[in-house]
């Protein structure tokens, strides 16, 4: 199965709500037959620009990274679901390439850098 | 007026002896009428003309005739001598004593050359056979090598895939499941990661960036 990563920008919320949203998201993924590999938190930061979503203007967001294995045909449905979620500001699913064989450069800080 | 047809002398071909001895004339002529036809009247200046042959001196004639007969006799004899010599030479060429020896030698040479040719052919055949054999062996060896190499590559591929599978099995222990979902969420929320860093050509890393 190909390997995807979901770059998730959530609304700046309190911790329990964020946890609940994350749990919801991961459960959705697993319901659709994905295998979640890792969940990373990239911190809560100022968004590069103000984003308006679900009638609300966001200037700060919490960045999360979920990498998972899934079949390609669930992605449209998944994205649709995530767009409808009120707490999700911006979902982005990217395909993950195979890691290049590590050479003599700075590739040791995270084999898969994500540019947000 | 006579018209001359043909060249000065007929060429002598060495093909047949008959043609060699045939009489040859130096000039081949034909009677041809000039400007006037048979029914035209004679010209006025030539009406009473009586053609008179040139006068002949009898004494001179006799002397000349003698000399001429002698001369022609000698010339004819010489010519016949020469003709005979030519014929004899030709005959000897074809069926003389030397002809048999030469023919025999020719046959001998021919046989020798054919034998040499056969030898050469045999030698080249041997060389060719050896070369073909060597090439066949080479091809055989290459084929076996190729098969071996393919086999080896296949084995290596299988090993690689097995290694990957094992690696994946190892990683699978750390995947998120329903049970450790909450725990992982708590863990993630507690440890924010930061992938922003700067690096220069010497390899010095700068991790201090603006996060919030």
């Amino acid at each position: 199965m190909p390997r995807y990563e979901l770059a998730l920008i959530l609304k700046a919320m309190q911790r329990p709500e964020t946890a609940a949203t994350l749990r919801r998201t991961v459960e959705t993924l697993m319901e659709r037959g994905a295998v979640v590999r890792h969940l990373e938190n990239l911190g809560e930061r100022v968004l590069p620009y103000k984003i308006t979503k679900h009638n609300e203007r966001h200037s700060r967001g919490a960045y999360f990274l979920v990498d998972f294995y899934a079949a390609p045909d669930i992605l449209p449905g998944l994205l649709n679901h995530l767009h409808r979620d009120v707490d999700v500001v911006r979902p982005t699913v990217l395909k993950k390439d195979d890691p290049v064989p590590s050479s003599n450069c700075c590739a040791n800080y995270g084999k898969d850098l994500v540019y947000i | 007026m006579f018209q001359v047809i043909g060249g000065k002398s007929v060429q002598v071909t060495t093909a047949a002896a008959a043609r060699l001895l045939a009489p040859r004339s130096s000039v081949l002529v034909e009677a041809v009428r000039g400007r006037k036809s048979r029914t035209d009247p004679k010209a006025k200046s030539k009406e009473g003309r009586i053609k008179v042959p040139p006068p002949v001196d009898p004494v001179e004639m006799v002397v000349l005739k003698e000399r001429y007969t002698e001369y022609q006799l000698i010339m004819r004899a010489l010519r016949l001598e020469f003709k005979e010599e030519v014929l004899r030479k030709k005959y000897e060429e074809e069926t003389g004593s030397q002809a048999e020896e030469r023919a025999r030698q020719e046959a001998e040479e021919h046989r020798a050359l054919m034998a040499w040719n056969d030898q050469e052919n045999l030698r080249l055949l041997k060389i060719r056979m050896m070369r073909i054999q060597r090439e066949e062996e080479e091809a055989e060896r290459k084929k076996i090598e190729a098969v071996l190499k393919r086999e080896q590559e296949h084995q290596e591929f299988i090993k690689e895939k097995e290694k990957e599978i094992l690696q994946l099995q190892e990683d699978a222990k750390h995947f998120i499941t329903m049970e450790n979902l909450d725990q992982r969420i708590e863990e993630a929320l507690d440890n924010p990661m930061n992938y922003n860093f700067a690096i220069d050509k010497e390899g010095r890393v700068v991790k201090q960036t603006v996060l919030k």
Side-chain angles (χ1 to χ4, degrees):
Chain A
M1 276 197 293
R3 202 168 149 178
Y4 296 99
E5 67 187 9
L6 169 62
L8 204 55
I9 307 183
L10 296 181
K11 201 162 90 164
M13 300 176 288
Q14 300 299 323
R15 194 172 156 130
E17 287 150 6
T18 317
T21 311
L22 281 173
R23 197 195 161 89
R24 232 186 6 240
T25 311
V26 172
E27 275 176 0
T28 312
L29 270 174
M30 291 171 94
E31 269 166 32
R32 288 164 198 261
V35 174
V36 182
R37 203 180 148 109
H38 192 40
L39 171 58
E40 284 165 10
N41 177 14
L42 303 174
E44 186 188 309
R45 350 173 8 157
V46 179
L47 296 177
Y49 45 86
K50 295 204 181 43
I51 302 180
T52 308
K53 192 95 173 155
H54 302 296
N55 284 328
E56 210 176 300
R57 208 163 151 94
H58 307 269
S59 52
R60 297 178 64 85
Y63 286 74
F64 287 94
L65 205 53
V66 187
D67 53 2
F68 59 96
Y69 290 109
D73 54 347
I74 63 167
L75 296 180
L78 177 72
L79 275 173
N80 196 12
H81 180 272
L82 287 170
H83 277 301
R84 286 175 205 277
D85 193 342
V86 182
D87 294 326
V88 166
V89 171
R90 184 162 292 179
T92 312
V93 173
L94 304 160
K95 190 149 170 278
K96 206 175 246 189
D97 295 328
D98 298 324
V100 292
S102 58
S103 51
N104 232 2
C105 63
C106 61
N108 288 329
Y109 278 118
K111 280 183 290 196
D112 29 285
L113 285 179
V114 171
Y115 296 91
I116 298 171
Chain B
M1 188 187 340
F2 294 124
Q3 197 156 7
V4 173
I5 298 178
K8 271 198 285 206
S9 63
V10 174
Q11 290 280 13
V12 174
T13 55
T14 56
R19 250 190 282 164
L20 218 58
L21 300 178
R24 41 196 195 119
S25 57
S26 49
V27 171
L28 200 61
V29 298
E30 249 187 31
V32 147
R33 274 195 166 264
R35 220 164 58 92
K36 292 187 171 181
S37 75
R38 209 161 51 104
T39 53
D40 289 331
K42 246 181 159 34
K44 279 201 290 251
S45 62
K46 299 279 187 290
E47 257 174 10
R49 185 169 182 252
I50 301 168
K51 282 199 272 198
V52 175
V56 174
D57 189 9
V59 180
E60 188 195 5
M61 179 55 111
V62 166
V63 171
L64 275 182
K65 257 221 163 20
E66 279 173 16
R67 290 187 188 173
Y68 265 127
T69 44
E70 198 182 329
Y71 171 73
Q72 276 166 8
L73 181 76
I74 295 171
M75 289 301 282
R76 201 171 293 159
L78 280 173
R79 274 200 204 102
L80 285 180
E81 283 281 342
F82 292 148
K83 278 183 195 168
E84 194 192 334
E85 192 181 332
V86 164
L87 277 184
R88 200 183 327 123
K89 276 214 174 93
K90 206 164 143 19
Y91 177 72
E92 266 187 33
E93 171 81 34
E94 280 170 11
T95 56
S97 49
Q98 316 290 334
E100 271 181 32
E101 284 179 31
R102 255 186 291 121
R104 208 168 35 79
Q105 265 172 8
E106 284 262 346
E108 191 72 33
E109 257 181 72
H110 181 76
R111 229 171 11 82
L113 285 173
M114 289 299 281
W116 181 82
N117 193 21
D118 286 332
Q119 287 292 320
E120 275 295 306
N121 281 352
L122 276 176
R123 183 174 70 87
L124 289 174
L125 176 74
K126 281 199 195 63
I127 290 175
R128 192 166 59 238
M129 293 306 290
M130 275 180 54
R131 191 189 60 214
I132 286 178
Q133 202 178 4
R134 235 181 297 134
E135 274 172 12
E136 269 176 21
E137 282 166 15
E138 194 68 30
E140 216 27 68
R141 203 167 45 80
K142 272 206 173 63
K143 213 162 58 151
I144 293 172
E145 253 177 49
V147 166
L148 275 174
K149 204 160 74 128
R150 242 195 300 278
E151 193 55 45
Q152 202 183 1
E153 273 170 12
H154 188 58
Q155 290 298 326
E156 280 188 13
F157 179 73
I158 288 179
K159 271 198 204 60
E160 281 292 323
K161 289 298 169 195
E162 275 179 3
K163 217 163 49 172
E164 275 179 24
I165 289 174
L166 284 171
Q167 177 69 24
L168 205 55
Q169 275 176 348
E170 265 303 307
D171 293 337
K173 293 182 188 136
H174 302 291
F175 284 173
I176 299 179
T177 60
M178 283 298 174
E179 291 82 23
N180 49 10
L181 179 56
D182 290 318
Q183 184 203 350
R184 288 297 275 271
I185 290 177
E186 296 300 316
E187 223 178 280
L189 285 171
D190 288 330
N191 314 330
M193 282 206 65
N194 186 14
Y195 289 116
N196 294 335
F197 64 93
I199 192 165
D200 64 358
K201 283 191 217 170
E202 269 79 50
R204 288 172 293 191
V205 171
V206 171
K207 283 217 71 158
Q208 177 192 356
T209 54
V210 175
L211 180 59
K212 299 232 188 298

